Amino acid sequence: MERTSAGEAGARDAARDRYGARRAPRAPARDAGPGAAGSGPGGASGSGPTGVAGAGTGTGGPGGVGGVTAADEERRRGVRRMKTIATGALLLMAAVFASAKWAQSYGAGGWAGYVAAGAEAGMVGALADWFAVTALFRRPLGLPIPHTAIIPSKKDQLGRSLGEFVGENFLSGEVVRARLRAVGIASRLGSWLARPEHAERVTAELSTALRGALAVLRDSDVQAVVGEAVTRRMNAREIAPGLGALLDRVVADGGHRRAVDLVCTRGAEWLEEHRDSVMVAVAGGAPGWTPRFVDRRIGDRVYRELLRFVTEMRDMPDHPARGAVDRFLADFAGDLRTDPATRARVERLKSEILGRPEVQDVIASTWSSVRSMVVAAAEDEHSQLRVRARESLLSLGSRMSGDERLRGKVDGWVEGAAVYVVTTYRDEITSLISETVASWDAEHTSKKIEAHVGRDLQFIRLNGTVVGALAGLAIYAVTDLLTR
């Protein structure tokens, strides 16, 4: 046992701290005197002469209302001081009563009776108020007196009543709407956003939130979603009619002519640089029985005609071949819009292209590029993203400050959203209150409440002592006058 590890010792200490508050209050049951800890007028909710130390080091146990904070300890010290003062007042009344009775028995004057009557009534008032205050939190003297220990025994009922009270008086649509209307959220928000430093602050916070959200998202998941969305949308929509309409406009506007010019120019340059390649191609396609010089002459003739045709097509805007290209493109545009066979071939080609791994990789990699650009723009204070966001917030603030109609709309949106939340989730909110209170440990809850209000309750005991003494003195004086 001497070799117990430090971890096991720490676990035992934590267990003692956790359950110490629940075990300590059992001891006062063996001491039923009025000054006993936890039950008498000068007692506390736990061990110790006049304090509430029983819960001073615990955490409330399972289902408690949380650990003991420095503020709780300060409140409990205040409760202990007031309990000491109140109990001292009771003992003072008892000492004065005993002294007055002693003086009266030795033939003192009539004043002794007045003093004894006042002290006696003061003791009665002090004891009555001690009983009333103690009955809120525990059973006085440990006796099972009905309607005592109200808070521990009625904790669940108090929780339900508190939840109903909050629901009826704070979570009603009329109350929320009236409160928000009185606050004037739109006006305040507009004035706040209209200041550049506030707009900058909101922009910075939004940028941080955006970067955090993008950092949380996994690239593989987003890429899969983007790829699936793009592919599904492309497959669901026929592109041939759109391509036909686009090609028709391009041909009508002559936009394709630059492409034809480029093809002719590059074709002529290629022919001029690769004459031998054309000659070899023509000779390779000739029959084997023809003489070589014939093949060379045919190849040279074909090369010169081909070069002449491409050069003329390049240099002559009205070349017949160009007109043929125009007619071909116009006819193809019409087929894309109206011909079922052409449209079906385009759709098959589209599906084949989308299904290729290279295309899917390009679609999926789009997310990485977009995210990198957004993150970089969010981090840069001078980026267009943040500049435009800041300007938009400033503009919104100015408009909300000067436009009463816009303020009315914003207030209406806020009120509607708040009322919807309150009316929709009112039962959940009130049940949260009642269920939370029901989950608290009754004894520890009583001690926590006593720590918060116990000091003020001890003034009731003091007031009862003083008022009782004055009332007793008055009653004795009236009786003495009437009996003379």
Side-chain angles (χ1 to χ4, degrees):
M1 296 300 292
E2 295 179 356
R3 297 181 180 180
T4 303
S5 66
E8 294 174 346
R12 289 198 302 271
D13 292 340
R16 284 196 297 270
D17 289 343
R18 184 178 183 184
Y19 296 106
R22 301 183 63 180
R23 295 174 179 173
R26 298 179 182 175
R30 294 190 296 270
D31 187 354
S39 60
S45 58
S47 61
T50 58
V52 288
T57 57
T59 60
V65 291
V68 178
T69 63
D72 289 336
E73 287 295 340
E74 181 62 28
R75 294 188 187 99
R76 287 173 177 174
R77 283 192 292 269
V79 172
R80 287 195 291 269
R81 287 193 296 268
M82 287 308 304
K83 282 188 175 183
T84 302
I85 294 172
T87 304
L90 171 60
L91 296 177
L92 177 61
M93 289 294 107
V96 170
F97 175 75
S99 299
K101 282 296 184 181
W102 178 82
Q104 194 176 24
S105 65
Y106 280 89
W111 62 269
Y114 283 87
V115 174
E120 182 179 12
M123 285 191 297
V124 173
L127 288 172
D129 287 338
W130 161 80
F131 181 91
V133 171
T134 303
L136 289 174
F137 305 104
R138 64 189 65 83
R139 298 192 182 278
L141 303 178
L143 300 176
I145 303 173
H147 304 293
T148 58
I150 294 174
I151 292 177
S153 61
K154 301 291 185 178
K155 173 179 64 68
D156 295 348
Q157 182 178 347
L158 292 174
R160 289 191 296 270
S161 299
L162 177 61
E164 294 174 358
F165 176 80
V166 171
E168 294 174 358
N169 296 278
F170 295 94
L171 299 181
S172 65
E174 294 77 9
V175 172
V176 172
R177 192 178 295 276
R179 180 58 181 167
L180 291 177
R181 189 177 297 113
V183 170
I185 292 179
S187 177
R188 295 189 179 188
L189 180 60
S191 301
W192 192 82
L193 285 177
R195 299 180 62 179
E197 62 271 20
H198 295 161
E200 176 61 31
R201 177 181 175 184
V202 174
T203 303
E205 295 296 336
L206 290 176
S207 300
T208 302
L210 179 61
R211 294 198 303 271
L214 293 177
V216 170
L217 296 175
R218 292 193 304 178
D219 287 348
S220 58
D221 295 338
V222 179
Q223 288 172 356
V225 171
V226 171
E228 181 183 359
V230 172
T231 303
R232 184 172 62 250
R233 185 169 181 81
M234 292 294 294
N235 286 327
R237 184 174 181 179
E238 188 178 2
I239 64 171
L243 291 176
L246 175 63
L247 181 59
D248 197 12
R249 287 195 298 271
V250 170
V251 173
D253 295 338
H256 66 292
R257 292 172 185 170
R258 292 185 179 180
V260 175
D261 292 341
L262 178 62
V263 171
C264 293
T265 301
R266 293 304 302 271
E269 292 175 353
W270 187 89
L271 287 174
E272 291 174 356
E273 295 176 0
H274 298 85
R275 180 177 183 279
D276 294 338
S277 298
V278 176
M279 298 288 293
V280 171
V282 173
W289 49 267
T290 57
R292 288 178 177 247
F293 74 93
V294 174
D295 294 341
R296 285 195 298 272
R297 289 180 63 87
I298 294 175
D300 182 69
R301 181 64 180 270
V302 170
Y303 170 77
R304 284 188 284 106
E305 290 295 327
L306 184 60
L307 180 60
R308 181 184 61 80
F309 174 79
V310 174
T311 302
E312 291 177 353
M313 190 174 177
R314 180 194 63 186
D315 299 335
M316 297 174 59
D318 298 331
H319 195 278
R322 285 179 175 266
V325 171
D326 294 345
R327 291 190 296 273
F328 168 77
L329 293 176
D331 294 340
F332 184 58
D335 291 340
L336 286 174
R337 293 196 309 271
T338 60
D339 183 45
T342 303
R343 292 167 61 175
R345 286 195 296 271
V346 171
E347 288 301 310
R348 287 195 298 270
L349 178 62
K350 179 191 72 175
S351 299
E352 292 175 0
I353 293 175
L354 289 175
R356 294 188 63 84
E358 298 86 351
V359 176
Q360 290 297 318
D361 292 341
V362 171
I363 295 174
S365 63
T366 304
W367 163 249
S368 299
S369 302
V370 172
R371 189 188 67 170
S372 299
M373 290 188 296
V374 173
V375 169
E379 292 177 348
D380 185 5
E381 295 183 0
H382 304 290
S383 65
Q384 284 297 315
L385 176 64
R386 292 188 61 164
V387 169
R388 291 182 180 273
R390 186 163 50 248
E391 292 176 351
S392 298
L393 290 173
L394 286 171
S395 175
L396 177 62
S398 300
R399 289 179 57 198
M400 289 176 64
S401 298
D403 190 345
E404 184 176 356
R405 185 177 179 182
L406 178 60
R407 290 199 303 271
K409 287 184 178 180
V410 173
D411 284 335
W413 294 336
V414 174
E415 292 171 12
V419 170
Y420 173 79
V421 172
V422 166
T423 55
T424 304
Y425 300 101
R426 175 165 50 197
D427 294 338
E428 286 77 0
I429 296 173
T430 56
S431 64
L432 174 65
I433 296 174
S434 58
E435 291 173 3
T436 301
V437 173
S439 67
W440 291 347
D441 177 75
E443 187 175 2
H444 189 68
T445 302
S446 178
K447 292 173 182 177
K448 290 279 284 187
I449 296 175
E450 185 178 16
H452 281 76
V453 301
R455 186 174 182 275
D456 294 326
L457 292 177
Q458 299 310 309
F459 281 102
I460 296 177
R461 295 176 57 188
L462 285 174
N463 293 336
T465 303
V466 175
V467 172
L470 294 176
L473 182 61
I475 294 172
Y476 183 85
V478 173
T479 302
D480 186 47
L481 291 174
L482 293 176
T483 56
R484 285 184 182 181

